Coordinates of all heavy atoms in Angstrom, one line a residue:
M194 N -118.0 1.4 -93.3 CA -118.7 1.1 -92.0 C -118.4 2.3 -91.1 O -117.3 2.7 -91.0 CB -118.2 -0.2 -91.4 CG -119.0 -0.6 -90.2 SD -118.7 -2.3 -89.9 CE -118.0 -2.3 -88.3
S195 N -119.5 2.8 -90.4 CA -119.3 3.9 -89.5 C -119.0 3.4 -88.1 O -119.4 2.3 -87.7 CB -120.6 4.7 -89.5 OG -120.9 5.2 -90.7
T196 N -118.4 4.3 -87.3 CA -118.2 4.0 -85.9 C -119.1 5.0 -85.1 O -119.1 6.2 -85.3 CB -116.7 4.3 -85.6 OG1 -115.9 3.5 -86.4 CG2 -116.4 4.0 -84.2
Y197 N -119.8 4.4 -84.2 CA -120.7 5.2 -83.3 C -120.1 5.2 -81.9 O -119.9 4.1 -81.4 CB -122.1 4.6 -83.3 CG -122.7 4.7 -84.7 CD1 -122.7 3.6 -85.5 CD2 -123.3 5.9 -85.1 CE1 -123.3 3.6 -86.7 CE2 -123.8 5.9 -86.4 CZ -123.9 4.8 -87.2 OH -124.4 4.9 -88.4
N198 N -119.8 6.3 -81.4 CA -119.1 6.4 -80.1 C -120.2 6.6 -79.0 O -120.8 7.7 -78.9 CB -118.1 7.6 -80.1 CG -117.1 7.4 -81.1 OD1 -116.5 6.3 -81.3 ND2 -116.8 8.4 -81.9
F199 N -120.4 5.6 -78.2 CA -121.3 5.8 -77.0 C -120.4 6.0 -75.8 O -119.5 5.2 -75.5 CB -122.1 4.5 -76.8 CG -123.2 4.4 -77.9 CD1 -122.9 3.6 -79.0 CD2 -124.4 4.9 -77.8 CE1 -123.8 3.5 -80.0 CE2 -125.4 4.8 -78.7 CZ -125.1 4.1 -79.9
K200 N -120.6 7.1 -75.1 CA -119.8 7.4 -73.9 C -120.6 7.1 -72.7 O -121.7 7.6 -72.6 CB -119.3 8.9 -74.0 CG -118.4 9.1 -75.1 CD -117.9 10.5 -75.1 CE -117.0 10.7 -76.3 NZ -116.4 12.0 -76.3
G201 N -120.1 6.3 -71.8 CA -120.8 6.0 -70.6 C -121.3 4.6 -70.6 O -121.1 3.9 -71.6
N202 N -122.0 4.3 -69.6 CA -122.5 2.9 -69.4 C -123.9 2.9 -70.1 O -124.7 3.8 -70.1 CB -122.7 2.5 -68.0 CG -121.4 2.4 -67.3 OD1 -120.4 2.0 -67.9 ND2 -121.3 2.9 -66.1
I203 N -124.2 1.7 -70.7 CA -125.5 1.5 -71.2 C -126.3 0.8 -70.1 O -126.0 -0.2 -69.6 CB -125.5 0.6 -72.5 CG1 -124.7 1.3 -73.6 CG2 -126.9 0.2 -72.9 CD1 -124.5 0.5 -74.8
S204 N -127.4 1.5 -69.7 CA -128.1 1.0 -68.5 C -129.6 0.7 -68.8 O -130.5 0.9 -68.0 CB -128.0 2.0 -67.4 OG -128.6 3.2 -67.7
G205 N -129.9 0.3 -70.0 CA -131.3 0.0 -70.4 C -131.7 0.5 -71.7 O -131.0 1.4 -72.3
P206 N -132.8 0.1 -72.3 CA -133.2 0.5 -73.6 C -133.5 2.0 -73.7 O -133.4 2.5 -74.8 CB -134.4 -0.3 -73.9 CG -134.9 -0.8 -72.6 CD -133.7 -0.8 -71.6
S207 N -133.8 2.7 -72.7 CA -134.1 4.1 -72.8 C -133.1 5.0 -72.2 O -133.3 6.2 -72.1 CB -135.5 4.4 -72.1 OG -135.4 4.1 -70.8
N208 N -131.9 4.5 -71.7 CA -131.0 5.3 -71.1 C -129.6 4.9 -71.5 O -128.9 4.2 -70.9 CB -131.1 5.1 -69.5 CG -130.2 6.1 -68.8 OD1 -129.8 7.1 -69.3 ND2 -129.9 5.8 -67.5
F209 N -129.2 5.5 -72.7 CA -127.9 5.3 -73.2 C -126.9 6.4 -73.0 O -127.3 7.5 -72.9 CB -128.0 5.1 -74.8 CG -128.8 4.0 -75.2 CD1 -130.1 4.2 -75.5 CD2 -128.3 2.7 -75.3 CE1 -130.9 3.1 -75.9 CE2 -129.1 1.6 -75.7 CZ -130.4 1.8 -76.0
G210 N -125.6 6.1 -72.9 CA -124.6 7.1 -72.9 C -124.6 8.0 -71.6 O -125.0 7.5 -70.5
D211 N -124.1 9.2 -71.8 CA -124.0 10.1 -70.7 C -125.3 10.6 -70.2 O -126.0 11.4 -70.8 CB -123.1 11.3 -71.1 CG -121.7 10.9 -71.5 OD1 -121.2 10.0 -70.9 OD2 -121.2 11.5 -72.5
N212 N -125.7 10.1 -69.0 CA -127.0 10.6 -68.4 C -128.2 10.5 -69.3 O -128.9 11.5 -69.4 CB -126.8 12.0 -67.8 CG -125.7 12.1 -66.8 OD1 -125.6 11.2 -66.0 ND2 -124.9 13.1 -66.9
G213 N -128.3 9.4 -70.0 CA -129.4 9.2 -70.9 C -129.3 9.9 -72.2 O -130.3 10.0 -73.0
R214 N -128.2 10.4 -72.6 CA -127.9 11.0 -73.9 C -127.2 10.1 -74.8 O -126.2 9.5 -74.4 CB -127.1 12.3 -73.6 CG -127.3 13.3 -74.7 CD -126.6 14.6 -74.3 NE -125.3 14.5 -75.0 CZ -124.2 15.0 -74.6 NH1 -124.1 15.6 -73.5 NH2 -123.1 14.9 -75.3
I215 N -127.6 10.0 -76.0 CA -126.9 9.2 -77.0 C -126.0 10.2 -77.8 O -126.5 11.2 -78.3 CB -127.8 8.5 -78.0 CG1 -128.7 7.5 -77.3 CG2 -127.0 7.8 -79.1 CD1 -129.8 6.9 -78.1
E216 N -124.7 9.9 -77.8 CA -123.8 10.8 -78.6 C -123.3 10.0 -79.7 O -122.5 9.0 -79.6 CB -122.6 11.2 -77.7 CG -121.7 12.2 -78.3 CD -120.6 12.7 -77.4 OE1 -120.9 12.8 -76.2 OE2 -119.5 12.9 -77.9
I217 N -123.7 10.4 -80.9 CA -123.2 9.8 -82.1 C -122.4 10.8 -82.9 O -123.0 11.8 -83.4 CB -124.3 9.2 -83.0 CG1 -125.2 8.2 -82.2 CG2 -123.8 8.6 -84.3 CD1 -126.4 7.8 -82.9
N218 N -121.1 10.7 -83.0 CA -120.3 11.8 -83.6 C -119.4 11.2 -84.7 O -118.6 12.0 -85.3 CB -119.6 12.6 -82.6 CG -118.6 11.8 -81.8 OD1 -118.2 10.7 -82.2 ND2 -118.2 12.3 -80.7
N219 N -119.5 10.0 -85.0 CA -118.7 9.4 -86.1 C -117.2 9.7 -86.0 O -116.5 9.9 -87.0 CB -119.2 9.7 -87.4 CG -120.6 9.2 -87.7 OD1 -120.9 8.1 -87.2 ND2 -121.4 9.9 -88.4
G220 N -116.7 9.9 -84.7 CA -115.3 10.1 -84.5 C -114.8 11.5 -84.8 O -113.6 11.8 -84.8
T221 N -115.7 12.5 -85.0 CA -115.4 13.9 -85.3 C -115.4 14.6 -83.9 O -116.4 14.7 -83.3 CB -116.3 14.5 -86.3 OG1 -116.3 13.7 -87.4 CG2 -115.8 15.9 -86.7
D222 N -114.3 15.3 -83.6 CA -114.3 16.1 -82.3 C -114.8 17.5 -82.6 O -115.1 17.8 -83.7 CB -112.9 16.1 -81.8 CG -111.9 16.8 -82.7 OD1 -112.2 17.1 -83.8 OD2 -110.7 16.9 -82.3
A223 N -115.0 18.2 -81.5 CA -115.5 19.6 -81.7 C -114.7 20.5 -82.6 O -115.3 21.2 -83.4 CB -115.6 20.2 -80.3
A224 N -113.4 20.4 -82.5 CA -112.5 21.2 -83.4 C -112.7 20.8 -84.9 O -112.8 21.6 -85.8 CB -111.1 21.0 -83.0
G225 N -112.9 19.5 -85.1 CA -113.2 19.0 -86.5 C -114.5 19.5 -87.0 O -114.6 19.9 -88.2
V226 N -115.5 19.5 -86.2 CA -116.8 20.0 -86.6 C -116.7 21.5 -86.9 O -117.3 22.0 -87.9 CB -117.9 19.8 -85.5 CG1 -119.2 20.4 -85.9 CG2 -118.1 18.3 -85.3
L227 N -116.0 22.3 -86.1 CA -115.8 23.7 -86.3 C -115.1 24.0 -87.6 O -115.4 24.9 -88.4 CB -115.1 24.3 -85.1 CG -115.1 25.9 -85.2 CD1 -116.5 26.5 -85.3 CD2 -114.5 26.4 -83.9
R228 N -114.1 23.1 -87.9 CA -113.3 23.3 -89.2 C -114.3 23.1 -90.4 O -114.2 23.8 -91.4 CB -112.2 22.3 -89.2 CG -110.9 22.8 -88.6 CD -109.7 21.9 -88.9 NE -109.9 20.5 -88.6 CZ -109.7 20.0 -87.4 NH1 -109.2 20.8 -86.4 NH2 -109.8 18.7 -87.1
I229 N -115.1 22.1 -90.3 CA -116.1 21.8 -91.4 C -117.0 23.0 -91.5 O -117.3 23.5 -92.7 CB -116.9 20.5 -91.1 CG1 -116.0 19.3 -91.1 CG2 -118.0 20.3 -92.2 CD1 -116.6 18.0 -90.6
A230 N -117.5 23.6 -90.4 CA -118.4 24.7 -90.5 C -117.7 25.9 -91.1 O -118.2 26.7 -91.9 CB -118.9 25.1 -89.1
E231 N -116.4 26.1 -90.8 CA -115.6 27.2 -91.4 C -115.4 27.0 -92.9 O -115.6 27.9 -93.7 CB -114.2 27.3 -90.7 CG -114.3 27.8 -89.3 CD -112.9 27.7 -88.6 OE1 -112.0 27.2 -89.2 OE2 -112.9 28.1 -87.4
Q232 N -115.2 25.8 -93.3 CA -115.1 25.4 -94.7 C -116.4 25.7 -95.4 O -116.4 26.2 -96.6 CB -114.7 24.0 -94.9 CG -113.3 23.6 -94.5 CD -113.0 22.2 -94.6 OE1 -113.9 21.3 -94.9 NE2 -111.8 21.8 -94.2
L233 N -117.5 25.4 -94.7 CA -118.8 25.7 -95.3 C -119.1 27.2 -95.6 O -119.6 27.6 -96.6 CB -119.9 25.1 -94.4 CG -121.4 25.2 -95.0 CD1 -121.6 24.5 -96.3 CD2 -122.4 24.7 -93.9
V234 N -118.7 28.0 -94.6 CA -118.8 29.5 -94.8 C -118.0 29.9 -96.0 O -118.5 30.6 -96.8 CB -118.3 30.2 -93.5 CG1 -118.2 31.7 -93.8 CG2 -119.3 29.9 -92.3
D235 N -116.7 29.4 -96.1 CA -115.9 29.8 -97.2 C -116.5 29.3 -98.5 O -116.5 30.1 -99.5 CB -114.5 29.2 -97.0 CG -113.7 29.9 -95.9 OD1 -114.1 31.0 -95.5 OD2 -112.8 29.3 -95.4
R236 N -117.0 28.1 -98.5 CA -117.5 27.5 -99.8 C -118.8 28.3 -100.2 O -119.0 28.6 -101.4 CB -117.8 26.1 -99.5 CG -118.4 25.3 -100.7 CD -117.5 25.3 -101.9 NE -116.3 24.6 -101.6 CZ -115.3 24.5 -102.4 NH1 -115.4 24.9 -103.7 NH2 -114.2 23.8 -102.1
M237 N -119.6 28.7 -99.2 CA -120.8 29.5 -99.6 C -120.5 30.8 -100.1 O -121.2 31.3 -101.0 CB -121.7 29.6 -98.4 CG -122.4 28.3 -98.0 SD -123.5 27.6 -99.2 CE -122.4 26.3 -99.9
R238 N -119.4 31.4 -99.7 CA -118.9 32.7 -100.2 C -118.7 32.6 -101.7 O -118.9 33.5 -102.5 CB -117.7 33.2 -99.5 CG -118.0 33.8 -98.2 CD -116.8 34.5 -97.6 NE -117.1 35.0 -96.3 CZ -116.6 34.6 -95.1 NH1 -115.6 33.7 -95.1 NH2 -117.0 35.1 -94.0
G239 N -118.1 31.4 -102.1 CA -117.8 31.2 -103.5 C -118.9 30.7 -104.4 O -119.2 31.1 -105.5
E240 N -119.7 29.7 -103.8 CA -120.7 29.1 -104.5 C -122.1 29.8 -104.5 O -122.7 29.9 -105.5 CB -121.0 27.6 -104.0 CG -120.0 26.6 -104.3 CD -120.4 25.2 -103.8 OE1 -121.5 25.0 -103.4 OE2 -119.5 24.4 -103.8
N241 N -122.5 30.3 -103.4 CA -123.8 30.9 -103.2 C -123.8 31.9 -102.1 O -124.2 31.6 -101.0 CB -124.8 29.8 -102.9 CG -126.2 30.2 -103.2 OD1 -126.5 31.4 -103.1 ND2 -127.1 29.2 -103.5
P242 N -123.3 33.1 -102.4 CA -123.2 34.2 -101.4 C -124.5 34.5 -100.6 O -124.4 34.9 -99.5 CB -122.8 35.4 -102.2 CG -122.2 34.9 -103.4 CD -122.9 33.6 -103.7
T243 N -125.6 34.2 -101.2 CA -126.9 34.4 -100.4 C -127.0 33.5 -99.2 O -127.8 33.8 -98.3 CB -128.1 34.3 -101.3 OG1 -128.2 33.0 -101.9 CG2 -128.1 35.3 -102.5
L244 N -126.3 32.4 -99.2 CA -126.4 31.4 -98.1 C -125.3 31.6 -97.1 O -125.2 30.8 -96.1 CB -126.4 30.0 -98.7 CG -127.6 29.7 -99.5 CD1 -127.5 28.3 -100.2 CD2 -128.9 29.7 -98.7
V245 N -124.4 32.6 -97.2 CA -123.3 32.8 -96.3 C -123.9 33.0 -94.9 O -123.4 32.4 -93.9 CB -122.4 33.9 -96.7 CG1 -121.4 34.3 -95.6 CG2 -121.7 33.6 -98.0
S246 N -124.9 33.7 -94.8 CA -125.5 34.0 -93.4 C -126.0 32.8 -92.7 O -125.8 32.6 -91.5 CB -126.7 35.0 -93.5 OG -127.7 34.5 -94.3
Q247 N -126.5 31.8 -93.5 CA -127.0 30.5 -92.9 C -125.8 29.7 -92.4 O -125.8 29.1 -91.3 CB -127.8 29.7 -93.9 CG -129.1 30.4 -94.2 CD -130.0 30.5 -93.0 OE1 -130.2 29.6 -92.2 NE2 -130.6 31.7 -92.8
A248 N -124.7 29.7 -93.2 CA -123.5 29.0 -92.8 C -122.9 29.7 -91.6 O -122.3 29.0 -90.7 CB -122.5 29.0 -94.0
Q249 N -123.0 31.0 -91.5 CA -122.4 31.7 -90.3 C -123.3 31.4 -89.1 O -122.7 31.4 -88.0 CB -122.3 33.2 -90.6 CG -121.3 33.5 -91.6 CD -121.3 35.0 -92.0 OE1 -122.3 35.6 -92.0 NE2 -120.1 35.5 -92.4
V250 N -124.6 31.2 -89.2 CA -125.4 30.8 -88.1 C -124.9 29.5 -87.5 O -124.8 29.4 -86.3 CB -126.9 30.6 -88.6 CG1 -127.7 29.9 -87.5 CG2 -127.5 32.0 -88.9
I251 N -124.5 28.6 -88.3 CA -124.0 27.3 -87.9 C -122.7 27.5 -87.2 O -122.5 27.0 -86.0 CB -123.9 26.3 -89.1 CG1 -125.2 26.0 -89.7 CG2 -123.2 25.0 -88.6 CD1 -125.1 25.4 -91.0
Q252 N -121.8 28.2 -87.8 CA -120.5 28.4 -87.2 C -120.6 29.2 -85.9 O -120.0 28.8 -84.9 CB -119.6 29.2 -88.2 CG -118.2 29.5 -87.7 CD -117.5 30.3 -88.7 OE1 -118.0 31.2 -89.5 NE2 -116.1 30.2 -88.8
G253 N -121.4 30.2 -85.9 CA -121.6 31.0 -84.7 C -122.2 30.2 -83.5 O -121.7 30.3 -82.4
E254 N -123.1 29.3 -83.8 CA -123.7 28.5 -82.8 C -122.7 27.5 -82.2 O -122.7 27.3 -81.0 CB -125.0 27.7 -83.3 CG -125.6 26.8 -82.3 CD -126.1 27.5 -81.1 OE1 -126.5 28.6 -81.1 OE2 -126.1 26.8 -80.0
L255 N -121.9 26.9 -83.1 CA -120.9 26.0 -82.6 C -119.8 26.7 -81.7 O -119.4 26.2 -80.7 CB -120.2 25.3 -83.8 CG -121.1 24.3 -84.6 CD1 -120.4 23.9 -85.8 CD2 -121.4 23.1 -83.7
V256 N -119.4 27.9 -82.1 CA -118.4 28.6 -81.4 C -119.0 29.1 -80.0 O -118.4 28.9 -79.0 CB -117.9 29.9 -82.2 CG1 -117.1 30.8 -81.3 CG2 -117.1 29.4 -83.4
Q257 N -120.2 29.6 -80.0 CA -120.9 30.1 -78.8 C -121.1 28.9 -77.8 O -120.9 29.1 -76.6 CB -122.2 30.8 -79.1 CG -122.8 31.5 -77.9 CD -124.0 32.3 -78.3 OE1 -124.5 32.2 -79.4 NE2 -124.5 33.1 -77.4
A258 N -121.5 27.8 -78.3 CA -121.8 26.6 -77.5 C -120.5 26.2 -76.8 O -120.5 25.8 -75.6 CB -122.4 25.5 -78.3
D259 N -119.4 26.2 -77.6 CA -118.1 25.8 -77.1 C -117.7 26.8 -76.0 O -117.2 26.4 -74.9 CB -117.1 25.7 -78.2 CG -115.7 25.2 -77.7 OD1 -115.7 24.1 -77.0 OD2 -114.7 25.9 -78.0
Q260 N -117.8 28.1 -76.2 CA -117.4 29.1 -75.3 C -118.2 29.0 -74.0 O -117.7 29.2 -72.9 CB -117.5 30.5 -75.9 CG -116.5 30.8 -76.9 CD -116.8 32.1 -77.6 OE1 -117.9 32.7 -77.5 NE2 -115.8 32.6 -78.4
E261 N -119.5 28.7 -74.1 CA -120.4 28.6 -72.9 C -120.4 27.2 -72.3 O -121.0 27.0 -71.2 CB -121.8 29.0 -73.3 CG -121.9 30.4 -73.8 CD -123.3 30.8 -74.3 OE1 -124.2 29.9 -74.4 OE2 -123.5 32.0 -74.7
G262 N -119.7 26.3 -72.9 CA -119.6 24.9 -72.3 C -120.9 24.2 -72.3 O -121.2 23.4 -71.5
R263 N -121.7 24.4 -73.4 CA -123.0 23.8 -73.5 C -123.1 23.0 -74.8 O -122.3 23.2 -75.7 CB -124.2 24.8 -73.4 CG -124.1 25.8 -74.5 CD -125.4 26.7 -74.5 NE -125.3 27.8 -75.4 CZ -125.5 27.7 -76.7 NH1 -125.8 26.5 -77.2 NH2 -125.4 28.7 -77.5
A264 N -124.1 22.2 -75.0 CA -124.4 21.6 -76.2 C -124.9 22.6 -77.2 O -125.6 23.5 -76.9 CB -125.4 20.4 -76.1
A265 N -124.5 22.4 -78.5 CA -125.0 23.3 -79.5 C -126.5 23.1 -79.7 O -127.0 22.0 -79.5 CB -124.3 23.0 -80.8
N266 N -127.2 24.2 -80.1 CA -128.6 24.1 -80.4 C -128.8 23.4 -81.7 O -128.7 24.0 -82.8 CB -129.2 25.6 -80.5 CG -130.7 25.6 -80.7 OD1 -131.2 24.7 -81.3 ND2 -131.3 26.6 -80.2
R267 N -129.2 22.1 -81.6 CA -129.3 21.3 -82.8 C -130.4 21.7 -83.7 O -130.3 21.6 -84.9 CB -129.5 19.8 -82.4 CG -128.2 19.3 -81.7 CD -128.5 18.0 -80.9 NE -129.0 16.9 -81.7 CZ -128.3 16.0 -82.3 NH1 -127.0 16.1 -82.2 NH2 -128.8 15.1 -83.0
G268 N -131.5 22.2 -83.2 CA -132.6 22.7 -84.0 C -132.2 23.9 -84.8 O -132.6 24.0 -86.0
R269 N -131.5 24.8 -84.3 CA -131.0 26.0 -85.0 C -130.1 25.6 -86.1 O -130.1 26.1 -87.2 CB -130.3 26.9 -84.0 CG -129.9 28.2 -84.6 CD -129.5 29.2 -83.5 NE -129.3 30.5 -84.2 CZ -128.4 31.4 -83.8 NH1 -127.6 31.1 -82.7 NH2 -128.3 32.5 -84.4
I270 N -129.2 24.7 -85.8 CA -128.2 24.2 -86.8 C -128.9 23.4 -87.9 O -128.7 23.6 -89.1 CB -127.1 23.3 -86.1 CG1 -126.2 24.2 -85.3 CG2 -126.3 22.6 -87.2 CD1 -125.2 23.4 -84.4
R271 N -129.8 22.5 -87.5 CA -130.6 21.7 -88.5 C -131.4 22.6 -89.5 O -131.4 22.4 -90.7 CB -131.6 20.8 -87.8 CG -132.3 19.9 -88.7 CD -133.3 19.0 -88.1 NE -132.6 18.0 -87.2 CZ -132.8 17.9 -85.9 NH1 -133.6 18.7 -85.2 NH2 -132.1 17.0 -85.2
A272 N -132.0 23.7 -88.9 CA -132.8 24.6 -89.8 C -131.8 25.3 -90.8 O -132.2 25.4 -92.0 CB -133.5 25.6 -89.0
A273 N -130.7 25.7 -90.4 CA -129.7 26.4 -91.3 C -129.2 25.4 -92.3 O -129.1 25.8 -93.5 CB -128.6 27.0 -90.5
L274 N -128.9 24.2 -91.9 CA -128.4 23.2 -92.8 C -129.5 22.8 -93.9 O -129.2 22.7 -95.1 CB -128.0 21.9 -92.1 CG -126.7 22.0 -91.3 CD1 -126.6 20.7 -90.4 CD2 -125.5 22.1 -92.2
E275 N -130.8 22.8 -93.5 CA -131.8 22.5 -94.4 C -132.0 23.6 -95.4 O -132.2 23.4 -96.6 CB -133.1 22.3 -93.7 CG -133.2 20.9 -93.0 CD -134.4 20.7 -92.1 OE1 -135.3 21.6 -92.1 OE2 -134.5 19.7 -91.4
T276 N -131.8 24.9 -95.0 CA -131.9 26.0 -95.9 C -130.8 26.0 -96.9 O -131.0 26.2 -98.1 CB -131.9 27.4 -95.1 OG1 -132.9 27.4 -94.2 CG2 -131.9 28.6 -96.0
I277 N -129.6 25.7 -96.4 CA -128.4 25.5 -97.3 C -128.6 24.4 -98.3 O -128.4 24.6 -99.5 CB -127.1 25.4 -96.5 CG1 -126.8 26.6 -95.8 CG2 -126.0 25.0 -97.5 CD1 -125.7 26.5 -94.8
T278 N -129.2 23.3 -97.8 CA -129.4 22.1 -98.7 C -130.3 22.5 -99.9 O -130.1 22.1 -101.0 CB -130.0 20.9 -97.9 OG1 -129.0 20.6 -96.9 CG2 -130.2 19.7 -98.8
I279 N -131.3 23.2 -99.6 CA -132.3 23.6 -100.6 C -131.6 24.6 -101.6 O -131.9 24.5 -102.8 CB -133.5 24.3 -100.0 CG1 -134.3 23.3 -99.2 CG2 -134.4 25.0 -101.0 CD1 -135.4 23.9 -98.2
G280 N -130.7 25.4 -101.2 CA -130.1 26.4 -102.0 C -128.9 26.0 -102.9 O -128.6 26.6 -103.8
V281 N -128.2 24.9 -102.5 CA -127.0 24.5 -103.2 C -127.4 23.5 -104.2 O -128.4 22.8 -104.1 CB -125.9 24.0 -102.3 CG1 -125.4 25.1 -101.3 CG2 -126.4 22.8 -101.5
G282 N -126.5 23.4 -105.2 CA -126.8 22.4 -106.3 C -126.4 21.0 -105.9 O -125.5 20.8 -105.1
A283 N -127.1 20.0 -106.5 CA -126.7 18.6 -106.2 C -125.3 18.4 -106.7 O -124.9 18.8 -107.7 CB -127.7 17.7 -107.0
G284 N -124.6 17.6 -105.9 CA -123.2 17.3 -106.2 C -122.2 18.4 -106.0 O -121.0 18.2 -106.3
S285 N -122.6 19.5 -105.4 CA -121.7 20.6 -105.1 C -120.9 20.3 -103.9 O -121.2 19.5 -103.0 CB -122.5 21.9 -104.9 OG -123.2 21.8 -103.7
A286 N -119.7 21.0 -103.8 CA -118.9 20.8 -102.6 C -119.6 21.3 -101.3 O -119.4 20.8 -100.2 CB -117.6 21.6 -102.8
G287 N -120.5 22.3 -101.5 CA -121.2 22.9 -100.3 C -122.2 21.8 -99.8 O -122.3 21.6 -98.6
L288 N -122.8 21.0 -100.7 CA -123.7 20.0 -100.2 C -122.9 18.9 -99.5 O -123.4 18.3 -98.5 CB -124.5 19.4 -101.4 CG -125.6 18.4 -101.1 CD1 -126.6 19.0 -100.1 CD2 -126.2 17.9 -102.3
T289 N -121.7 18.6 -100.0 CA -120.9 17.6 -99.3 C -120.5 18.0 -97.9 O -120.6 17.2 -97.0 CB -119.6 17.4 -100.1 OG1 -119.9 16.9 -101.5 CG2 -118.6 16.4 -99.5
L290 N -120.2 19.3 -97.7 CA -119.9 19.8 -96.4 C -121.1 19.8 -95.5 O -121.0 19.5 -94.3 CB -119.3 21.2 -96.5 CG -117.9 21.3 -97.1 CD1 -117.6 22.8 -97.4 CD2 -116.9 20.7 -96.2
V291 N -122.3 20.1 -96.1 CA -123.5 20.0 -95.3 C -123.7 18.5 -94.8 O -124.0 18.3 -93.6 CB -124.8 20.4 -96.1 CG1 -126.1 20.0 -95.5 CG2 -124.7 21.9 -96.3
E292 N -123.5 17.6 -95.6 CA -123.7 16.2 -95.2 C -122.6 15.8 -94.2 O -123.0 15.0 -93.3 CB -123.6 15.2 -96.5 CG -124.7 15.4 -97.4 CD -126.1 15.1 -96.7 OE1 -126.2 14.2 -96.0 OE2 -127.0 15.9 -97.0
Q293 N -121.4 16.3 -94.3 CA -120.4 16.0 -93.3 C -120.8 16.5 -92.0 O -120.6 15.9 -90.9 CB -119.0 16.6 -93.7 CG -118.4 15.8 -94.8 CD -117.1 16.5 -95.2 OE1 -116.7 17.5 -94.7 NE2 -116.4 15.9 -96.2
L294 N -121.3 17.8 -91.9 CA -121.8 18.3 -90.7 C -123.0 17.5 -90.1 O -123.0 17.3 -88.9 CB -122.2 19.8 -90.9 CG -121.1 20.8 -90.9 CD1 -121.6 22.2 -91.3 CD2 -120.5 20.9 -89.5
K295 N -123.9 17.2 -90.9 CA -125.0 16.4 -90.4 C -124.6 15.1 -89.8 O -125.0 14.7 -88.7 CB -126.0 16.1 -91.6 CG -126.9 17.2 -92.0 CD -127.8 16.8 -93.1 CE -128.7 17.9 -93.6 NZ -129.6 17.5 -94.6
N296 N -123.6 14.4 -90.5 CA -123.1 13.1 -89.9 C -122.3 13.4 -88.6 O -122.5 12.6 -87.7 CB -122.2 12.4 -91.0 CG -123.0 11.9 -92.1 OD1 -124.2 11.5 -91.9 ND2 -122.4 11.7 -93.2
A297 N -121.5 14.4 -88.6 CA -120.7 14.7 -87.4 C -121.5 15.0 -86.2 O -121.2 14.7 -85.1 CB -119.7 15.8 -87.7
L298 N -122.7 15.7 -86.5 CA -123.5 16.1 -85.4 C -124.7 15.2 -85.1 O -125.4 15.4 -84.2 CB -124.1 17.5 -85.7 CG -123.1 18.7 -85.8 CD1 -123.7 19.9 -86.3 CD2 -122.5 18.9 -84.4
G299 N -124.8 14.1 -85.9 CA -125.8 13.1 -85.7 C -127.2 13.6 -86.0 O -128.2 13.3 -85.4
L300 N -127.3 14.5 -87.0 CA -128.6 15.1 -87.4 C -129.2 14.3 -88.5 O -128.7 13.8 -89.4 CB -128.4 16.5 -87.9 CG -127.9 17.5 -86.8 CD1 -127.6 18.8 -87.3 CD2 -128.9 17.6 -85.6

């Protein structure tokens, strides 16, 4: 069973969480998400070097968003994750890390 963390008051069907934002992170903090992204970069170096740049896009976006104090660009991350998903083999460790990132980011 998953845990969904809603931060803030629920004030109606269209306004959840922090200022109308729903935050579903399954208990993974920002440092945990960054660790998964780092593992993905390392895994792609071994499994599929052509996808290292896509994994680095994810890692770079997470680092930059943290440094700038803003939310990560979910569209950019989603696109990179989809590219990696297409390129890695079913049942691979890389695909497992992609799924972990998707769940942690609520994608």
Side-chain angles (χ1 to χ4, degrees):
M194 185 161 121
S195 295
T196 302
Y197 299 98
N198 301 315
F199 289 91
K200 296 183 178 184
N202 296 324
I203 297 175
S204 61
S207 63
N208 189 16
F209 297 96
D211 299 324
N212 299 319
R214 205 176 95 213
I215 298 175
E216 183 176 330
I217 302 174
N218 61 20
N219 294 326
T221 306
D222 61 356
V226 173
L227 190 53
R228 276 192 303 275
I229 297 169
E231 290 169 0
Q232 290 173 1
L233 182 61
V234 170
D235 292 339
R236 181 60 62 179
M237 289 300 98
R238 283 189 181 116
E240 282 184 15
N241 197 332
T243 60
L244 295 173
V245 170
S246 63
Q247 293 299 314
Q249 289 173 331
V250 165
I251 297 164
Q252 182 183 29
E254 177 59 29
L255 292 170
V256 168
Q257 188 175 10
D259 185 51
Q260 290 173 346
E261 294 174 0
R263 62 172 173 81
N266 182 330
R267 295 165 57 91
R269 187 170 187 213
I270 291 172
R271 183 182 293 118
L274 287 171
E275 288 174 2
T276 301
I277 292 170
T278 300
I279 292 168
V281 296
S285 69
L288 188 58
T289 300
L290 290 168
V291 166
E292 292 303 317
Q293 287 178 358
L294 278 171
K295 284 182 180 180
N296 288 333
L298 296 170
L300 299 175

